[in-house]
Amino acid sequence: MPKILPLRSAQTIAVLAVTQIISWGTTFDMLGVMGRIVAPELDLPNEVVFFGLSIMMLVSALAGPATGRLLGRHGAAKVMASASVIFAIGLMLLASAHEILVYGLAWIVIGIGGALGLSAPAYTAVVEREGLGGKRIIAILMLFTGLSATIFWPLLALMNDLVGWRMTFVFSALLQLFVCLPLYLFGLPKPIDRNEQTQATDTVPVDFTPPERRRAFFLVAAATAISSFISFGLSPSLLALLQHAGASPALALQLGSARGAIGVSARFVDMALGRRGNALLTSLVGTGLVLFSFVLAATVTSSPPVLVVFMVLYGFGTGVLAVARALLPLSLFSPREFGLQSARLSMPQNLANAAAPVIFTALLDRVGATAALLTGAVLSAISLVLVLMLVGLVRSANARSRLAADRSQDILDRQ
């Protein structure tokens, strides 16, 4: 692949980077700034307001399989365009909410939009336009989407100061309708011509038998759901975890803030590898780093240097795992199937994301930091075993394919 991106690929990245930053920033990331502002206005406890994110993840999970079918039938651009309209409706409901029923309904609507417009559909849009070459484009795209909170937290805070929280949600809805919607409909390049690119889009990276294919999907689903559970579960409680582990409030804030930069740098390293990168190897490295970070923090006497090392290992590990979760379907299944398989995989991941913050918060508050760290270590170890099993399955399938190819060549040589 050339080092300089062609204009078509750069256009795909630009459109999806803008729309994904807006979509994540005005939905999932939004409560990080607005949650504690909205709660007293609606006379709701903070935990009830933040439960909106759990509703969003749960609804997105349940809508995942249907999203896969829609992506295959209508293409990613139309599906994501519908997501912009649905996001706008959900945000307008938030702006008009005065009680819990409308607030909860708003997050149900936003959850449907999340299934249709966040992550998996965007990666599907890339693969529709790049085929197997989409790996590098997805990795580059993730560099930008990892900055959604960094961009939108100060923007939402500024808008709230200027016009209040209700008009801030209206402003967010307008961004969906007047920026994201036209970009999806008119800004994306046309998908690959299937008549000309049939061989590329049907290429199967690993020639699984049907039973191996089902087993591979299960291993990917389980491993990615566990890694997502850990990342989403610890994210809201990371500062509290660091303080429970002995960090001062100032050090905890510095380390927590550094995590985003470390994660983005990990994505940059994976992107820089280009074709030399491997989603299975990335999964192994990322899971191993997260496992080691938990074991280190749980077993070594806490001190600032130990916590710094923990954050570097944990931040880098979760950063590369985010890339691996996006690229594994493309490394194992054909590009034509990418949208369906990614959407199917999003269901267990989003279910895990919905439950994880509650579980990790309860562990940390009721049992302590060591219990939370050991839970993360055990889950990471299980995920590592699953990835190793997947590596063994891929090697077995590849070895069988090479043997079959050698036998075919022998037959041809004899003739």
Side-chain angles (χ1 to χ4, degrees):
M1 181 178 293
K3 292 184 178 180
I4 299 177
L5 288 173
L7 179 61
R8 172 188 174 86
S9 299
Q11 181 181 348
T12 299
I13 293 171
V15 169
L16 292 177
V18 170
T19 53
Q20 287 294 286
I21 286 172
I22 291 174
S23 294
W24 279 105
T26 58
T27 59
F28 185 85
D29 293 326
M30 172 261 295
L31 284 187
V33 170
M34 305 300 294
R36 287 175 172 80
I37 297 171
V38 170
E41 294 285 333
L42 298 182
D43 196 25
L44 295 173
N46 286 336
E47 57 267 27
V48 173
V49 168
F50 280 90
F51 190 69
L53 297 180
S54 295
I55 295 174
M56 175 186 173
M57 290 291 101
L58 180 60
V59 172
S60 293
L62 296 177
T67 299
R69 293 190 291 271
L70 289 172
L71 288 168
R73 189 176 305 149
H74 301 292
K78 291 181 180 178
V79 171
M80 290 189 293
S82 67
S84 294
V85 176
I86 293 170
F87 276 145
I89 294 171
L91 289 163
M92 292 300 289
L93 284 171
L94 281 180
S96 64
H98 290 277
E99 74 288 323
I100 191 170
L101 289 180
V102 176
Y103 182 79
L105 177 62
W107 282 105
I108 291 173
V109 174
I110 291 172
I112 296 171
L116 299 175
L118 295 178
S119 293
Y123 305 149
T124 301
V126 172
V127 174
E128 286 176 352
R129 288 152 181 79
E130 302 287 339
L132 284 173
K135 291 182 181 180
R136 184 188 179 200
I137 306 303
I138 291 173
I140 295 172
L141 177 61
M142 293 186 74
L143 290 176
F144 294 98
T145 57
L147 299 173
S148 60
T150 303
I151 293 172
F152 262 84
W153 279 0
L155 178 60
L156 292 171
L158 175 63
M159 288 299 300
N160 178 69
D161 291 340
L162 291 175
V163 297
W165 66 272
R166 293 187 186 275
M167 288 304 299
T168 298
F169 290 148
V170 172
F171 167 74
S172 299
L174 294 177
L175 286 178
Q176 291 290 341
L177 291 176
F178 293 103
V179 178
C180 294
L181 180 60
L183 282 176
Y184 287 139
L185 293 177
F186 308 112
L188 282 171
K190 296 296 183 183
I192 291 174
D193 187 336
R194 291 193 177 187
N195 292 327
E196 297 179 3
Q197 300 291 342
T198 299
Q199 183 177 358
T201 56
D202 282 340
T203 300
V204 180
V206 183
D207 189 17
F208 289 126
T209 63
E212 288 175 338
R213 184 185 183 81
R214 289 190 292 271
R215 188 180 176 194
F217 180 85
F218 169 78
L219 291 172
V220 173
T224 56
I226 290 173
S227 69
S228 188
F229 180 91
I230 294 170
S231 179
F232 276 77
L234 274 185
S235 183
S237 301
L238 189 58
L239 297 184
L241 175 69
L242 291 168
Q243 291 184 46
H244 277 271
S248 66
L251 178 60
L253 182 59
Q254 290 170 358
L255 292 176
S257 301
R259 183 212 165 183
I262 296 170
V264 170
S265 69
R267 296 180 185 188
F268 179 82
V269 170
D270 193 87
M271 179 272 294
L273 290 174
R275 285 186 172 179
R276 292 170 293 176
N278 181 292
L280 284 172
L281 179 60
T282 299
S283 298
L284 285 173
V285 172
T287 307
L289 289 174
V290 172
L291 172 59
F292 186 69
S293 73
F294 285 135
V295 172
L296 175 72
T299 58
V300 177
T301 302
S302 182
S303 65
V306 169
L307 294 175
V308 169
V309 174
F310 162 76
M311 186 52 62
V312 170
L313 294 173
Y314 176 76
F316 201 90
T318 53
V320 296
L321 280 174
V323 178
R325 286 195 296 269
L327 295 183
L328 270 174
L330 191 57
S331 300
L332 301 174
F333 309 110
S334 72
R336 190 183 295 276
E337 299 177 285
F338 180 84
L340 175 62
Q341 300 291 14
S342 293
R344 288 175 62 199
L345 288 169
S346 71
M347 182 176 183
Q349 289 179 30
N350 285 334
L351 286 173
N353 296 346
V358 177
I359 294 174
F360 268 103
T361 299
L363 277 172
L364 185 61
D365 292 345
R366 299 186 182 185
V367 188
T370 301
L373 291 167
L374 289 176
T375 300
V378 171
L379 291 173
S380 297
I382 294 172
S383 183
L384 184 61
V385 171
L386 292 170
V387 176
L388 288 171
M389 292 171 65
L390 182 61
V391 170
L393 188 64
V394 169
R395 286 183 175 178
S396 176
N398 287 339
R400 186 183 61 251
S401 298
R402 286 194 298 269
L403 181 60
D406 290 342
R407 287 176 177 173
S408 298
Q409 187 62 46
D410 288 342
I411 293 172
L412 290 174
D413 291 342
R414 289 172 185 173
Q415 294 175 346

